[in-house]
Amino acid sequence: MENDEVILLDFWASMFGMRIRVALAEKEIEYEFKEEVVGGTKSPLLLKMNPVHKKIPVLIHNGKPVCESLIAVEYIDEVWKDKAPLLSSDPYERAQARFWADYIDKLYDFGRKIWDAKGEEQEVAKKNLIDSHRVLEREALGDKPYFGGESFGFVDVALIGFYSWFYTYEAFGNFSMEAECPKLVAWGKRCMQRESIFKSLPDPHKIYEVILQYRKNVGLE
């Protein structure tokens, strides 16, 4: 679709926004990135485009907003369906992909408590995070190169943003994701070889530095 105006309201470290960035890159769609300040004043455009949740990311296509990252990724896949499909044409495989993407969304709270808590609360979150990733590794990935099989797809897009946060989880949780979930880390390294991904995701050390400063500000360090 030529001459489309595509804008992404996002925060550079958002794993949810990373999904949309990767999907757009996979489809080779040019877009304008508008940075939103998390925890700061929300822009008038964000409030106009997402009046319900008032959160990023928001994909704006020809002036019309699409909110919630997984919905936006599906939208991108449907609108630009002539390039690199992310969801299978098979209804059952699509249903399975949506199931695992929804499962991945629930991992956010575990990860957040690792860097936003300490003591027993942090330890419980770490166990939950590791156990959940082991389920993903065992039940969804298995011995396949990607979650959908031989080709990079929807579930990979759903999870890859979280991969850039693994370093932060490990640093504050004092564990090794590679030791706990070796196949999952190997999958992440495989994904990072794709141009659409390594150009879309931020440096994990940069995320860590921002969270370290946050922890100092709130008295966790």
Side-chain angles (χ1 to χ4, degrees), residues 106-131:
K106 294 176 173 62
L107 303 182
Y108 173 76
D109 286 340
F110 300 147
R112 182 179 178 109
K113 283 179 182 172
I114 289 177
W115 56 260
D116 199 15
K118 58 183 178 180
E120 186 179 353
E121 187 180 10
Q122 187 186 53
E123 286 302 309
V124 170
K126 181 169 76 171
K127 182 183 186 303
N128 287 334
L129 185 85
I130 292 170
D131 288 350

Side-chain angles (χ1 to χ4, degrees), residues 15-32:
M15 65 270 285
F16 301 109
M18 290 178 211
R19 293 169 169 173
I20 301 176
R21 283 174 252 162
V22 168
L24 290 168
E26 280 286 316
K27 299 283 188 174
E28 300 178 334
I29 305 302
E30 292 186 8
Y31 65 97
E32 181 183 356

Side-chain angles (χ1 to χ4, degrees), residues 69-88:
S69 61
L70 291 175
I71 294 171
V73 170
E74 283 205 55
Y75 178 84
I76 290 164
D77 200 36
E78 289 177 16
V79 172
W80 292 280
K81 55 178 175 277
D82 56 325
K83 295 181 184 176
L86 298 173
L87 275 163
S88 169

